[in-house]
Amino acid sequence: MERNLKLILRYDGSSYHGWQMQKNLATVQETMEKAIAMVVGHSVHVTGCGRTDAGVHAKCYVANFRTSSTIPVDRLPYALNTHLPPDIVVTKAFDVHDGFNAIGSCVRKEYTYLIYNSRLKDPFYVNRAWFYPKHLDEKIMQAAADQFVGTHDFAAFCAAGAQVSTTVRTIFDCHVERVGESVRMYVTGDGFLYNMVRIIAGTLMAVGLGKIEPSAVAGIIAGCDRTKAGQTAEPQGLTLVEIFYSV
């Protein structure tokens, strides 16, 4: 009898070209499929909850695959982790209903973006944050972040070449906070376009530097012109932190 298994994993994306399989490039999906095949004894296709760019991290990533193996789910994380590199760890496994799909069943995702905002670099933030030495005004950034909340056409915050049926998405929450020399953006939505979170982060940084007025953000969204938004923030500051499902 074939089973549908759901995995929860965490990974440091520094050494990978994102989640999705790519020819001649190391990816998280390929690494996972090789490890799973060694445990269950047959090749598998692993469906992930979404693409992540090269260098992007995940504290909570969801994937599923189908198998005829009878291995108990409580043993599966330990078995998989013996075949995975130390920068990918499976934390939990579940038997799920046949209709569950890691990406198709997802209703909400939460990301954080971390900026290390200091005059001096910190080696402990290498591959974990975007180092930016010029001071950012997090209160002004928050005034701009508020304008992203709601259902909008986010074409201005989508990288060129994305193949999607619609660029309309809903943002449930977007806020910015400072803790010492770290500025962190939190954004939760029903889905995100290619590079969308990184472009939002780059736009908020431009606001924090005084290059874009907070009041201009609503117009940038409405205008659907990518050239009016900020730069695409560097990937290493981005982390997928939570995935939500309706069932």
Side-chain angles (χ1 to χ4, degrees):
M1 180 180 175
E2 189 176 65
R3 303 158 69 197
N4 189 15
L5 299 184
K6 172 184 174 182
L7 302 177
I8 310 295
L9 55 142
R10 302 161 65 96
Y11 60 82
D12 178 330
S14 303
S15 299
Y16 302 95
H17 290 264
W19 164 266
Q20 190 163 320
M21 190 87 70
Q22 296 185 51
K23 188 176 181 180
N24 300 322
L25 294 173
T27 65
V28 181
Q29 182 184 25
E30 179 184 30
T31 306
M32 286 297 304
E33 289 185 356
K34 288 180 178 178
I36 293 170
M38 295 181 74
V39 171
V40 301
H42 61 84
S43 61
V44 298
H45 171 74
V46 181
T47 299
C49 60
R51 298 180 63 169
T52 54
D53 298 334
V56 172
H57 316 294
K59 286 187 176 179
C60 179
Y61 191 93
V62 178
N64 74 290
F65 70 97
R66 298 177 187 278
T67 181
S68 56
S69 170
T70 58
I71 183 171
V73 288
D74 59 339
R75 288 179 49 199
L76 188 56
Y78 301 98
L80 289 175
N81 290 334
T82 62
H83 297 285
L84 287 169
D87 50 10
I88 302 175
V89 175
V90 176
T91 59
K92 295 179 182 178
F94 305 91
D95 276 292
V96 289
H97 62 84
D98 189 63
F100 177 84
N101 180 283
I103 188 167
S105 303
C106 176
V107 296
R108 185 178 298 204
K109 297 178 182 178
E110 180 182 348
Y111 284 90
T112 64
Y113 193 90
L114 180 62
I115 302 169
Y116 186 61
N117 190 209
S118 171
R119 293 180 63 188
L120 297 174
K121 293 182 178 181
D122 186 330
F124 289 97
Y125 283 94
V126 173
N127 296 327
R128 289 291 184 280
W130 185 6
F131 169 68
Y132 204 84
K134 293 183 180 179
H135 180 72
L136 298 171
D137 187 329
E138 69 277 6
K139 293 181 180 179
I140 294 177
M141 292 170 72
Q142 181 59 61
D146 290 337
Q147 297 176 60
F148 287 105
V149 177
T151 301
H152 307 288
D153 186 336
F154 283 100
F157 297 85
C158 180
Q163 297 180 346
V164 291
S165 58
T166 177
T167 49
V168 174
R169 297 290 187 274
T170 299
I171 299 296
F172 303 109
D173 177 64
C174 186
H175 67 275
V176 179
E177 67 178 25
R178 175 183 287 276
V179 178
E181 295 177 311
S182 296
V183 175
R184 189 181 297 268
M185 177 191 78
Y186 301 81
V187 59
T188 305
D190 63 353
F192 295 94
L193 303 166
Y194 183 41
N195 282 352
M196 180 174 164
V197 179
R198 290 169 59 191
I199 298 170
I200 290 175
T203 302
L204 291 178
M205 175 178 280
V207 171
L209 292 169
K211 295 180 178 180
I212 296 176
E213 289 295 322
S215 58
V217 170
I220 295 172
I221 296 171
C224 296
D225 184 350
R226 172 67 188 91
T227 65
K228 302 298 183 183
Q231 71 182 101
T232 303
E234 295 184 4
Q236 69 271 17
L238 183 60
T239 301
L240 174 62
V241 295
E242 193 66 77
I243 305 290
F244 301 89
Y245 292 91
S246 56
V247 290

